[in-house]
Amino acid sequence: MGLTVAQKILKKHLVDGDLLSGDEIGIKIDHTLTQDATGTMADLQFEQMGVERVKTEVSVSYIDHKTIQMGFEDADDHKYLQTFAQKYGLYLSKPGNGICHQVHLERFGRPGATLLGSDSHTPTGGGIGMIAIGAGGLDVAAAMAGMPFYMPRPKILGIKLTGKLNDWVTAKDVILKVLQILTTKGNVGWIAEYFGDGIKTLSVPERATITNMGAELGVTTSVFPSDEITRKFLKAQARERDWIPLEADEDAKYDRVIEINLSELEPMIAQPHSPDNVVRVRDIEGLEIDQVCVGSCTNSSYKDGKIVAEILSGKVVNPNIDFVYIAGSKQVARMLADEGSLSKIIAAGARYFEPCCGFCIGAGQAPRNNGVSIRTNNRNFFGRSGTKTAKIYLVSPETAAACALTGKITDPRDLEKLFGISHPKVDIPESFVIDDSRIIPPAFEGEKVELYKGPNIVDPPSGEELPQEISGVITGKFGDKITTDDIMPAGSLLKYRSNVPEYSKYVFMNRDPEFAKKCLENKDKGIHNIIVGGDSYGQGSSREHAALCPMYLGVKVVIAKAIERIHRANLINFGIVPLTFENPDDYEKIEKGDKIKIENIRKALIENSGRVILKNETKNVEIPLNFHLTERERKIILVGGTMMLAKKYAGMSFKEIEIKE
Ligand code: MIC
Ligand code: SF4
């Protein structure tokens, strides 16, 4: 039987399980990527694993999320990351060098390799033909230590692209269309693989825009083949030697196929507060706006910047709006600067920042109260921008530039009529500027390097064995689509990523400011905390703090209608039991404050019964709950999390570990 691109790569890397049957597979990881908001914790966990040097082909530690460095905390963390990289054999990409995904694509990614990153947009690497997966920091630390990565055995969703994009319609509009069709729900466990004649019209950075935002679908990853277009990109990066051809076999079988005709697409826009709340720009044009931000790992390539520069050339943006531009990497910034494009953007009125995540993670440029912000990034979740009342819309750079000129939501196809601007033709350059001066290679003699740890770096807390029964209260009940930004806000709090006791005070801060305090009070009294959620609980970011901090607060169980892949894996890693309602309507039978009991939960996990009964003592009802956990996952939870398991059973394989009552 023929294989798809994803299956070919997975087959080569398979170390456990079977691609055709079973629940999960284990794969060997070639590359890892961490960033400074998740990397400190991942590195601290790696230190506890007692390994002398990373065992991957390439591991890169990026500094891109916390570059504002307000106060000493971030700079201290950065120094730690640098000494860690030197000691253990990682490359370090310094602040200002760019956003991890953009830089990895430019300087490290290679077709056919596997990449595990402690950031949910790691699938950006799928644009260059990698199997690139986002995971929690602990999973990435384990991969750096040479351990396999476990994931649900994937089903392959073929996305067939035909036709060719019209002028002013872009790769961003393709992925927004895919999100409109598939939504952010119900795609867990799939890999999206693009094929068809239409892909031949898309350059690597355009493909990467599509695979990047595939993260919002909730799929494990997205991937494109590696073809002549990939070779051209790698050649322009002076890395043609990394190219290999990699295409699906003629008779490859997809588990499901959807088809999109690129010629029929129009400019699209995601409305607040979800990336799948997508309509045509035409449908909502004319709405007054306050801010336009171009950048982020979704749309910060050279082509994205150059197109914006060409549209704005010789013009000034609408005086009522604030216009922000952030290039994705030093390479992009230098190329735009050298050729004069950056000057055009600045002359048009842009506020220009160093290459970093910036506004995308709420680290600056928070909109005014009730402000309308048009952005080119990938997430418009409630509160993520730093302003709870703000309304964030997601668009292509072309649409963003059009909006910046008019001060209203504007279809870029109207630019010709309004301003006489014809569609700029921009291609991938023959060669990119190669400047790796802000990438520090691993030190030769790592053992001589001393780790630097500032006072804000606090050792990660350890987990506790799963008790025989859960006896506690519903400390928080939340609705559908709760994101990890809801659970563990980032923005100005990013500086506490390496200080769990401090960061934990802000769990659910924007949804229920009393949550953390209540949890700690209960924990002190020996009462277990339980969280209840609706559909797609834990979607969005890979941040393991959304599980680690609740663990610290004494949360033992999360019950939801459905839990997203990365968050579910993080809950397990930190010993929290992910349970789902057997009958989704039972969600109505629990309220915040209810006293509950789940008897014999430990026994249920040991026996793998798949089912426990929650007794709601306040309402006097019984609610059946399900769990679907592999043997590996059950063992991790029973022991109190992955770190506890590693410490207690060092050197043993999962199969050898036996856990008693
Ligand atoms: C995000 O886009 O939400 C982040 C910030 O990049 C996160 C990682 C984090 O929270 O540090 C992600 O996507 O995983
Ligand atoms: Fe950074 Fe935003 Fe990309 Fe996350 S989505 S890596 S915050 S640019």
Side-chain angles (χ1 to χ4, degrees), residues 35 37-38 65 119-121 361 379 384 497 541-543:
Q35 39 88 340
T38 53
H65 280 63
D119 191 283
S120 63
H121 291 104
I361 184 60
R379 290 186 173 145
R384 179 177 165 100
R497 283 286 173 97
S541 142
S542 68
R543 64 190 69 148

Side-chain angles (χ1 to χ4, degrees), residues 128-148:
I128 205 167
M130 305 183 91
I131 286 292
I133 303 175
L138 184 49
D139 282 330
V140 177
M144 294 196 297
M147 290 182 230

Side-chain angles (χ1 to χ4, degrees), residues 246-281:
L246 194 56
E247 310 226 19
D249 293 328
E250 287 279 316
D251 57 343
K253 254 189 125 63
Y254 302 89
D255 295 289
R256 179 185 168 196
V257 173
I258 61 168
E259 193 169 325
I260 293 176
N261 184 348
L262 299 179
S263 317
E264 287 170 2
L265 281 186
E266 294 187 55
M268 310 295 280
I269 186 165
Q271 309 176 94
H273 294 289
S274 182
D276 64 357
N277 189 9
V278 174
V279 293
R280 296 177 319 154
V281 176

Side-chain angles (χ1 to χ4, degrees), residues 13 28-34 46 53-62 85 88-93 100 103-110 113-118 122 130 140-141 143-146 239 241-242 439-442:
H13 290 82
K28 176 182 176 295
I29 296 299
D30 301 320
H31 288 197
T32 64
L33 154 177
T34 51
F46 179 90
R53 200 98 175 145
V54 294
K55 298 205 169 137
T56 46
E57 170 191 316
V58 170
S59 284
V60 192
S61 172
Y62 291 94
Y88 292 107
L90 292 80
Y91 289 84
L92 183 94
S93 174
C100 52
V103 178
H104 209 84
L105 201 67
E106 293 169 358
R107 305 307 304 143
F108 294 99
R110 66 166 178 86
T114 52
L115 162 67
L116 193 72
S118 59
T122 304
M130 305 183 91
V140 177
M144 294 196 297
R239 295 201 294 121
R241 63 179 184 283
D242 285 337
I439 297 178
I440 307 180

